[in-house]
Each structure stands twice: as C-alpha cells, then as structure tokens.
Amino acid sequence: MVGDEVVRVYVPATVPMLALLREQGLPANGGHAVTPALREWYAEGDEEELEYVAFTRAAQDALQLLREDPAAARRRVVVSVDLPAAAVGRGDGELGSSMVELDGPVPASAVAALHVDGAEAVDDVTAAVDVVREALAGDPDAQFTVDGAEDHELEWYAPSEWELLLRTAS
C-alpha cells in the first residue's frame, strides 16, 4: 500500500452522518477493506468476494452506530470511498480481519458510492439495533434477529444522487 495506490474502504455510517459527510467530511477513524489478513483467511475468495465480506462487516458496524444514535433513521449506511493508501492504516491484524484505520475525516470527494437500506428493511433493522450487542456477545436468538436485517441488500446510490438520498432516507 504505497505510492499512488488507492484503497477502497467501506465506512459504516448513519443517515445523519451522510449530511455531515457532505458538509465537512465524515469523522470516521476506521472502516473495512480487503486487507492482507482477510486475503489470508479467505484464500479461496476472489477480489469481489473479499470486497463483499468487507462491505458486509461495515453494514454490521452500522447497526452499532444506530444503537448510539436513537434519533437516526433506522437504516444501515455504508459509504464506499477510495482513499490514498497512505491515508489507510492497518487494522488489528487478526487473521480474517478487514478492519482498517483512517488518518482523518473522509472527504466527500473520496465517495465512490452510497449504500442505504430501503424502506422495507426498517422494521428488521430496528429489531437488530435493539439486540446487536447481545448478538456480538454470542446470543443465538439475538444473532437470528441481526441476520434478519442482513437479509436485506443495501440500495446503491451514485454520489450524484446524494441530495435525493438525504430527502428520501430521513
């Protein structure tokens, strides 16, 4: 990860964070990407599969952000950004980890795509937010509820659709 190399990072967010991102950048200190640790763990996977794993983990982290912001619309958000490799630090290094550290706020100019749950996912996401900590602690019933939210694919929006997204997802 040197030179002019660009790294695709999937940053978990909430709908209110999208407005903040547009105005002043996203104050994220981490995200998910295809890391050497992820490649080693999932050696059989091609690049697209590895990116899907990193993306899915960012969507899972968005549930925790929603738990911290009870006023936010109950929709998971993942912001796909392309950052210079120098701005992306290694995460925890644990085998299979997709975590990366970011060296500062994510600028709006780095956004490649926005991903947000559709209206049909709101009930399942709301239920998952309520039990996400229990699921992470190993509760199988809570994990079943979280899996219900994960059954919903996030909708894809181009950066040019930012305004429309903010109006419809709030």
Side-chain angles (χ1 to χ4, degrees):
M1 292 189 183
V2 293
D4 294 340
E5 186 179 350
V6 172
V7 178
R8 171 65 51 97
V9 179
Y10 303 99
V11 181
T14 63
V15 172
M17 292 171 78
L18 286 180
L20 185 65
L21 166 61
R22 183 144 191 189
E23 296 164 10
Q24 55 192 272
L26 186 61
N29 56 8
H32 293 269
V34 177
T35 62
L38 182 60
R39 282 186 204 288
E40 184 179 342
W41 171 73
Y42 197 38
E44 302 294 316
D46 63 21
E47 193 68 17
E48 188 173 319
E49 291 170 316
L50 293 171
E51 287 181 2
Y52 185 75
V53 170
F55 176 86
T56 301
R57 290 178 179 170
Q60 291 167 348
D61 285 356
L63 288 173
Q64 294 181 68
L65 291 174
L66 287 170
R67 185 171 179 123
E68 295 167 12
D69 184 357
R74 291 317 198 214
R75 296 178 189 224
R76 295 168 298 164
V77 175
V78 174
V79 182
S80 295
V81 296
D82 292 327
L83 297 171
V88 180
R90 294 185 181 252
D92 59 24
E94 207 173 290
L95 184 63
S97 176
S98 60
M99 286 292 302
V100 293
E101 296 170 353
L102 304 178
D103 73 352
V106 175
S109 61
V111 174
L114 304 162
H115 312 272
V116 181
D117 274 312
E120 75 286 344
V122 169
D123 289 344
D124 288 335
V125 170
T126 300
V129 167
D130 291 342
V131 298
V132 67
R133 287 194 182 134
E134 292 84 352
L136 290 171
D139 181 320
D141 292 330
Q143 186 59 52
F144 181 79
T145 301
V146 169
D147 289 345
E150 292 177 0
D151 287 343
H152 296 277
E153 292 289 327
L154 277 71
E155 297 173 353
W156 180 93
Y157 293 86
S160 63
E161 298 175 290
W162 212 317
E163 283 301 320
L164 169 68
L165 177 58
L166 287 174
R167 283 194 308 269
T168 60
S170 301

